[in-house]
Amino acid sequence: ELSQQSLFPQVVDLSPADFALVMEIQKEIMAIGFRFELFGKNSLLISGMPSGIHGDAKEIFEGLLEQFKKNQAELALPLHENVARSLAKRASIKTGDLLEKEEMEALVEGLFSSANPNFSPEGKPTFFIFDTLMADTYFNHR
């Protein structure tokens, strides 16, 4: 399933401009798995978020919106791609996060089954291949 139901729906209060933006891209946000309804003036009640995404629904939703605005200012992307990239950036595993072996294996499997495993949503390389000569040179000169 695309969306996982929240046990405790969360209220997100937005500025009028951000609320208008969410209404404008509501279809794209719901297409990636967020579920929400209007909850007063400039507020939303988030009742579901994309499956497989862990963390605080309110923080991830607000982060998605901030990243969307940043992408919109810097990149010329179709709406649906901007929303997907924004979620990927904001819900990504951060440096220092501890993962179980199964989570690590699922990440690698997901990476190599993706359409473009060589680059992140920001265009950065996802991995480097070192041959033994390169590794010796790198590690012996640090």
Side-chain angles (χ1 to χ4, degrees):
E1 179 159 326
L2 190 60
S3 184
Q4 56 193 7
Q5 188 73 27
S6 297
L7 289 175
F8 304 102
Q10 290 182 285
V11 175
V12 176
D13 297 311
L14 301 166
S15 69
D18 282 354
F19 184 82
L21 178 60
V22 169
M23 293 299 99
E24 186 181 317
I25 61 172
Q26 178 177 359
K27 185 175 92 178
E28 288 78 12
I29 293 173
M30 294 185 105
I32 62 169
F34 274 101
R35 298 292 172 255
F36 59 87
E37 56 192 75
L38 302 182
F39 193 76
K41 186 177 181 179
N42 299 326
S43 296
L44 304 172
L45 182 66
I46 300 177
S47 58
M49 59 190 279
S51 294
I53 302 296
H54 303 287
D56 182 75
K58 181 178 183 213
E59 275 182 33
I60 292 173
F61 190 89
E62 290 171 339
L64 164 83
L65 197 54
E66 289 308 308
Q67 189 67 43
F68 180 89
K69 291 187 294 187
K70 184 176 188 282
N71 289 352
Q72 198 174 37
E74 297 174 3
L75 307 169
L77 297 172
L79 283 181
H80 68 280
E81 187 174 340
N82 187 347
V83 170
R85 282 182 182 224
S86 298
L87 177 64
K89 173 76 173 167
R90 291 307 172 136
S92 65
I93 296 164
K94 307 299 184 245
T95 302
D97 287 353
L98 298 177
L99 300 175
E100 298 293 326
K101 183 179 183 215
E102 294 79 20
E103 292 173 305
M104 289 184 243
E105 290 170 349
L107 275 175
V108 172
E109 185 178 308
L111 172 66
F112 288 108
S113 66
S114 69
N116 190 354
N118 299 323
F119 298 98
S120 73
E122 297 172 311
K124 294 180 182 175
T126 56
F127 60 90
F128 295 95
I129 298 173
F130 287 98
D131 62 30
T132 52
L133 180 60
M134 285 176 70
D136 285 345
T137 303
Y138 177 77
F139 290 112
N140 291 328
H141 290 92
R142 285 190 80 199

